[in-house]
Every structure is written in structure tokens, then in C-alpha cells.
Amino acid sequence: MAKNSNGLLCKLGIVKSPGAPVPHRKHTKDCATVDMPAPAKVTMVMQQHIGAPCAPTVKVGDEVFVGTVIGDSTAPFSAPIHSSVSGKVVKIDSILMQNGSKAQTVIIESDGQQTVDPSIKAPVINSDADLIKAVHDSGLVGLGGAGFPTHIKISPKPEVKAAIDHLLINAAECEPYLTPDVRQILEDSENVVEGMKLVAKLLDVKYAVIGIEDNKPEAIKLMTELLAQVKIDGITFKVETLPSRYPQGAEKVLIDQCTGRQVPPGKLPSDVGCVVMNVTSVAVLANYVKTGMPLTTKRLTVDGAGVSKPMNVRVPIGTSIKDVIEFCGGYKGAPAKVISGGPMMGMAMASDEFPILKQNNGILVFDKEEADLSATTDCIRCGRCVNACPMNLMPTKLEAYTNLGRTDELQKLNIMNCMECGCCAFVCPANRRLVQSIRLGKGLVRNASN
């Protein structure tokens, strides 16, 4: 596991690493997860992953159970949707997504019984193909936020698979406030380890590494002890302790920190011999293999000065943000901003009626003081945004060319490599909305290429 000299120097503190020293604010790290009862209704969105959307496989009036398939697609780059409650389908509708697109929904009225579908049983797995099919059938997608269908990620072409030697499990959880991943480790470590073993053997890697930031010592200690007991010939299991510096959990940053390898622009982790999975994803995979229960719930952190009882809560997928907040004691005064996700990469919500998706990992409710944004002033050419950018981009130039509509220059400056982590905006002394401008610029480039 040789590391390049620059990556090693960064870890030793000799060279300043990119990113930003964001405040951790892990207020709920010691809060055990609480299970939320089924709400009166759930809204199951048919687009909860990257790739082809699902189409409803049920109709109004149908009875469904927990785990019933209610949406699917024949496209390979997709993942089925399962009901998170038992009850009756009352409406097939559409919803406006956070990115402005529309998606179909299946609205289910819960009977409050949470009856499990009679067909649910542990899958029979006698081959790699059986395991990959099981992962597809579980509805599992990347649960760190991207929503990449997991069965695609773990079934690379043979020539690609032959070059993969690292399985990296992302448990960095670098966003402020969010703690569902550390709770996953502390509360469900058995499935985390079993999931790592399953995928490591499937991919035939040499190293299976879980990366955890050093502000989570309990999780590091527990995983170090458990992985030391894993003995599989030819595979080394270990914990990589990461510096607590945002965005340590970004896929390309994690790869660099754990292996010293850089993913070239336009390339994938597999191009440098790595597969990266979120820690909750491998735990869900292991649980499905044991029980046959598909992905129907999600652990969330609910936090912020605008919510009465910050906590970690496991909710049925499709529950509205409003219902989750009410379970956490309701709003504390009038909320100034509700964010789905963390404060750095999350999305401000126009309505709390929006449902929880598979890849959601937090809801933040900010009061006026937390949500306040300082006024923007002129750029002082300090270069802090350039130093902070993990992708070595030039945010101020990208902002300028976005304002001018110069898609040719945006492409030359590799705007599509931006991961929208928000480091540039966070460190900017002029409070310029750099990441927001870059998002707009990426949209201009996409439109120009269509």
C-alpha cells in the first residue's frame, strides 16, 4: 500500500492538504438511534438512484407490505423500490425533485401494522452471480449521497476487476452535524464487518480498508479490534485513520489518503484499482444476505438550533421531512432554513413535505442566526479558494466565466471535475457564492453539449 510522497507529506502535516477546517458540530454522536413508527402515509419516489428511473409496478387500490416491490425498471443501471410500510396504494402522482426535474411517486396509506411481505426470505447464494443479483434485488444504492446502484459498482468487467486491489469503505463522515455513519459502526458493527468480507471476497482484492476520521476514536477502536480478528487468505483488513479535515469523505480524496493514488479527470476509482463503498451500504448488503429484507429504512441525523430534540432516527423511506421533524419534537420557533443533508453539500428545501430518499443522511433545521449569510463583497484575489479546492480548480475564474456564459472556457478549466464540496465558498473572505456559481456553470456546459 505504497503512498506517493505528496500524500504522505500531507498526512505528516509537512504539506498543507486541500480542503477546509470546517467545525465538526457532531452534537448527536453519542445519541443512540431511535426507530420512528410508520407515518400515516409515505411517498415513494421512483427516482432514488443515478440511472434509469423505476416505473410503478402497483396500481391504486393495491395492498402492499413492508418489502413489497412497488417500482422497478428493465434498465440495468437502476435499482428497484420497495414499500417501507404495509397498507394500501392510494395515489400514483409526480413530484418536483430537488434538481428541478419531475419523478413519479407511489403514495401509500399505512395501516400501522408494518406487516412484512410474505415473500421476504434470505437469498440463496452459491456464486458471485447470485450475490450480485441479491444486491440488485435488495434495492441497494450508494447511501453516502450519490445513489449509484450498488450491483453495478460491484460487478466490473473482468479486465477491470483484475486490476482492482483495494476495497475502500467510506466512514469518514466529514460533513458537520451528521453522525449516522458513526452510529452505524457503533450499533451495527457485525454487519459492517460481514459486508466488508462479502465484497472483498467478491472483488478478490488484496486490501479492504475502512477510512474513519480521527474525531471518531470509539469507532476507530471498535473497527480496529474487529478487523484484527478477520482472517481471509490474501486479503488484509485494516482501519485507516484520516485527518479530520473536510472533505475527507469525498471519493477521490479518500482514495488519495488511503492509497496515495489520484483519480485522473474523467476517470473512475476502478481506473486506479479501487472500489469505494459507504459504510452503511456494506452493512445493508450483509443484512439483506442474512434476512432478505430490502432497503426500506434510513438512519438520519436530525439537528440544528431550529429543531426541539436533535437525534439520530431510523425512518421508513418515503416519510415526509415534516413528519420526521414532528417525531423529533417539532420546530423550535419558525425555521429559517431546512436542509436535506449536511450544511456543506446539502440542499435547502423549499418545502418540508418532501419525502426521505434512500440516499438522504440528515435533516438540518437552522434558525435565523445559523442560516444567516454575510453580504458578498468583491474578490480580493487572495487565492484561498484555489488552495482549498481538492480538485485543484480555479473557482474565481469558473465564477467569472459562468457569469459571462463562456462554456468553452469553463470546459478548458475542467469545471465538470468540481465535486461541489463548497470548500471554496467556505474559505472565501469575500463571502462569494462560488460553489453556487460553479453549479450554474456546470448546467451551462451540459446544456451546450446537448
Side-chain angles (χ1 to χ4, degrees), residues 33 72 100 103 106 293 303 355 386 397:
T33 305
D72 208 349
V106 174
M293 177 55 69
D303 202 352
V386 178
K397 283 198 171 184

Side-chain angles (χ1 to χ4, degrees), residues 72-92:
D72 208 349
S73 171
T74 57
F77 212 97
S78 187
I81 309 291
H82 301 81
S83 177
S84 61
V85 298
S86 58
K88 182 179 292 186
V89 177
V90 295
K91 192 175 184 180
I92 306 292

Side-chain angles (χ1 to χ4, degrees), residues 54 75 90 95 115 120 160 186 197 199 227 291-292 332-333 406:
C54 291
V90 295
I95 194 171
T115 306
I120 297 295
V160 176
L186 297 177
K197 290 163 60 177
V199 180
L227 292 182
T291 68
K332 190 190 296 182
R406 294 286 301 275

Side-chain angles (χ1 to χ4, degrees), residues 264-416:
K267 298 294 184 178
L268 298 172
S270 57
D271 293 310
V272 295
C274 299
V275 167
V276 181
M277 290 183 65
N278 173 263
V279 64
T280 300
S281 297
V282 292
V284 170
L285 186 160
N287 185 67
Y288 180 78
V289 168
K290 287 192 293 187
T291 68
M293 177 55 69
L295 181 58
T296 61
T297 63
K298 192 64 198 295
R299 182 187 277 102
L300 307 168
T301 293
V302 182
D303 202 352
V307 65
S308 296
K309 298 178 182 177
M311 64 174 70
N312 290 303
V313 56
R314 184 165 33 238
V315 308
I317 292 168
T319 304
S320 71
I321 291 174
K322 181 180 180 180
D323 285 343
V324 176
I325 296 299
E326 287 181 358
F327 179 74
C328 296
Y331 293 114
K332 190 190 296 182
K337 184 174 289 188
V338 177
I339 298 172
S340 174
M344 297 297 289
M345 294 189 72
M347 300 287 287
M349 305 303 296
S351 168
D352 61 6
E353 296 292 343
F354 196 82
I356 299 300
L357 307 179
K358 293 179 181 181
Q359 59 268 47
N360 290 154
N361 49 22
I363 300 170
L364 302 182
V365 184
F366 286 172
D367 62 11
K368 186 177 180 180
E369 182 179 352
E370 282 181 315
D372 182 56
L373 294 175
S374 300
T376 299
T377 58
D378 291 338
C379 174
I380 62 173
R381 305 292 191 269
C382 65
R384 292 183 190 176
C385 59
V386 178
N387 290 336
C389 180
M391 296 291 100
N392 299 312
L393 302 177
M394 302 177 72
T396 51
K397 283 198 171 184
L398 294 175
E399 178 193 38
Y401 285 126
T402 293
N403 292 338
L404 293 171
R406 294 286 301 275
T407 56
D408 53 340
E409 296 295 338
L410 291 173
Q411 288 177 295
K412 287 179 184 177
L413 292 172
N414 296 317
I415 190 172
M416 301 311 289

Side-chain angles (χ1 to χ4, degrees), residues 344 385 388 395 421-436 438:
M344 297 297 289
C385 59
C421 66
C423 287
C424 53
F426 181 83
V427 301
C428 179
N431 301 308
R432 301 196 67 78
R433 315 294 189 245
L434 294 170
V435 68
Q436 291 88 337
I438 293 172

Side-chain angles (χ1 to χ4, degrees), residues 43-56 70-73 75 77-82 93-99 101-106 139 141 145-149 317 354-360:
T43 300
M44 307 300 298
V45 181
M46 295 292 102
Q47 180 74 72
Q48 299 193 45
H49 49 265
I50 294 173
C54 291
I70 58 171
D72 208 349
S73 171
F77 212 97
S78 187
I81 309 291
H82 301 81
D93 204 353
S94 64
I95 194 171
L96 189 66
M97 300 292 285
Q98 295 161 316
N99 62 4
S101 64
K102 280 192 173 183
Q104 278 191 297
T105 61
V106 174
V141 301
F148 194 99
I317 292 168
F354 196 82
I356 299 300
L357 307 179
K358 293 179 181 181
Q359 59 268 47
N360 290 154

